Every structure is written in C-alpha cells, then in structure tokens.
Amino acid sequence: MNINDKRYSRFSDYLKKKYGKKIIKISLNAGFTCPNIDGSKAYGGCIYCSNKGSGDFAGVPSNDLVTQFNNVKERMSKKWKNGLYLPYFQAYTNTYAPLDVLKKKYEAVLYLDNVIGIDIATRPDCLEDDLVDYLAEISKTKEVWVELGLQSIYDETARIINRGHDFNEFLIGLNKLRAKNINVCVHIINGLPNETREMMMNTLKKVNELDIQAIKIHLLHVLKDTPLENMYKKGKFKVMEKMDYVNLVVDQLEVLRPEILVQRVTGDGGRDELIAPLWSLKKFELLNEIDWEFLRRKTKQGYYV
Ligand code: SF4
C-alpha cells in the first residue's frame, strides 16, 4: 500500500477516467433563494447556512452565469490546461424556480465549449415533475448530477437545524430522481448538534442502503452570523476534534459500498467566515490524515461491506 493511492472512489478520478481529461468543476451562483429561507417552507434557513446560501466559493451573482463561468475557467486553465468543465450550480436552492427560468440558467452554461454536463445542488422537497423530466432528457447526452442535501437521517436533528424537511421527504425526492435514472449525490454532515458518533454512523449506513451514486461527507462548520454561531458561543454544542473526525470518516468509508463515488470527505469553510473548528482550514492536512489512517488500518472504502 502506498500513501499516494487513494483508498476511496473519488468522483474526480471517475470523471477523469470516463472523459480522459481532468474535469474542472466550476461553482456558480445563479441568484436563487431557498424555500427554507423565504417562508414558502420555513423562515431563516438551516442554522448553519451562510449568507451566501452555502455557496461560499460560488461566483458573484451580480455577474451573469457565462461571466462567472469564464472567470473561474480562466483561473483554472492556468493550473490545468486542456481540461473539460462541469458547471456546478451551488449557492442556495438551484431548482427553486419555474422550469422556463431554470432552463435558461442551466442552458446558459450547459452548451458552452468543453462543458460535459451540469451539477445541481438542491433540496429533496424542491423537485417538480417537469424539472425531473427535463433533467432526464438532457442526461441522455450530457453528464447530469443532482446533489441532494440530507445531512442526517434523524428527524429530531432536522428540527434542531431547521432543515424544513424530514427523512421521508428526502426519500420521496431521491426516488423521483432515480425513477428517471438521474445521478444523485447525497450530502451528509458530521458533527451536528446533539448527534452522537453512533447517529453519524447510522446516517452513513442508511444512506449506503439507498440507490445513490455519490456522497459528500461534510464536517459541520460554524460560520459567522449564523444561528449556529449563537448556539456555539452559548456552549450548546461542541465542534468535532480533528482526529475524532478523521477516525469517523474512515469508519464511514470502510462501510460504504465501493461503487458509491466520494465527492468530498470534508467541507470548505471560508477563512473569513469560519468560527470553528479552525483546524479544518488546513484541508490538505486533514485529507492526508485520512489517507494515513487508511494506511495504518490497511483498509479502504467498502472494506467491511
Ligand atoms: S437548504 Fe441550503 S440554501 Fe436553503 S437554508 Fe439550508 S443550507 Fe441554506
């Protein structure tokens, strides 16, 4: 075993193998809001959601989508020449509009040169039938991914974080997409208030039983000016320690089916917004620790499946 061999099925490796080139994901802010913020579902949003709608590295919404796309593409092309691109509609809820509005936004970037498809982050309770049909149609010729936020299978946690939907609604959204064969990447968060390690493992195990194609495992970040920051400052919960997180993620990946692609094993908290845990700013150190832990254990993703 070599430290440079990844012990889990990285999404980036999968895409590179499929298309023969580096695929560069370009995060966009298409100017949406969220039904969990504007009152149509709830007010205030998830307690950890930043004022950028959890799209802290997405573009500036005052720029049109092509400008946002080109700005990132130009930066990235210095690092990766001859890459292909996957636009990622990241900030807020990227299916929260009538289909004609959505189509206009998606298609502004979908048919640009060297774009392989589209990746859309959304909520499981915001998937209209006509949108799902449209995505199924374009997925016949393009790479289409929908990223669904779940965060935890526990409804009591969903209430604490003001998620605005329960596990059953997540299952309905997931089934809708899978009935049309659309690729789904599920987001979960480790370290949510009141959750034990066992609960976090159970979320992973449950998700592992579902028909999903990829997963993003996030670390809970406490960001400035969020309700979570108030809770944290009042001592209502503690953030995870680095090695606890490393051990948990490795435990989770060891029981994750090997064919499920791993898009992330931690999140990105913007340096200016992050309150805690500050160790997470050293992302490469964290990723290395996860690799080392696999090496120490001599295991890999799906080892205990
Ligand atoms: S669903 Fe996403 S955009 Fe909406 S409040 Fe929660 S984290 Fe923010």
Side-chain angles (χ1 to χ4, degrees), residues 95-136:
T95 56
Y96 189 37
L99 183 61
D100 57 327
V101 176
L102 295 174
K103 275 169 85 168
K104 229 184 198 165
K105 291 186 188 264
Y106 302 157
E107 290 177 9
V109 288
L110 182 58
Y111 298 111
L112 296 176
D113 286 349
N114 296 324
V115 167
I116 60 163
I118 196 170
D119 188 356
I120 300 165
T122 191
R123 296 168 54 84
D125 57 355
C126 200
L127 294 163
E128 296 295 334
D129 293 345
D130 57 356
L131 167 71
V132 176
D133 289 342
Y134 165 75
L135 293 177

Side-chain angles (χ1 to χ4, degrees), residues 291-303:
D291 291 341
W292 278 112
E293 186 55 28
F294 272 119
L295 198 70
R296 279 190 284 271
R297 297 186 190 191
K298 298 188 174 63
T299 61
K300 59 183 180 176
Q301 179 181 344
Y303 190 80

Side-chain angles (χ1 to χ4, degrees), residues 34 67 104 127 138 140 153-154 169 180-181 197 220:
C34 174
T67 306
K104 229 184 198 165
L127 294 163
I138 57 171
K140 289 178 187 161
I153 58 166
Y154 291 95
E169 283 174 285
K180 300 276 176 173
N181 221 19
R197 193 178 197 287
L220 181 69

Side-chain angles (χ1 to χ4, degrees), residues 33-37 44-50 53-54 90-93 122-123 151 162-163 165:
T33 176
C34 174
N36 200 29
I37 293 176
C46 306
I47 59 173
Y48 49 78
C49 184
S50 72
S54 293
Q90 182 183 23
Y92 294 97
T93 296
T122 191
R123 296 168 54 84
Q151 323 313 0
N162 195 37
R163 188 66 205 155
H165 67 76

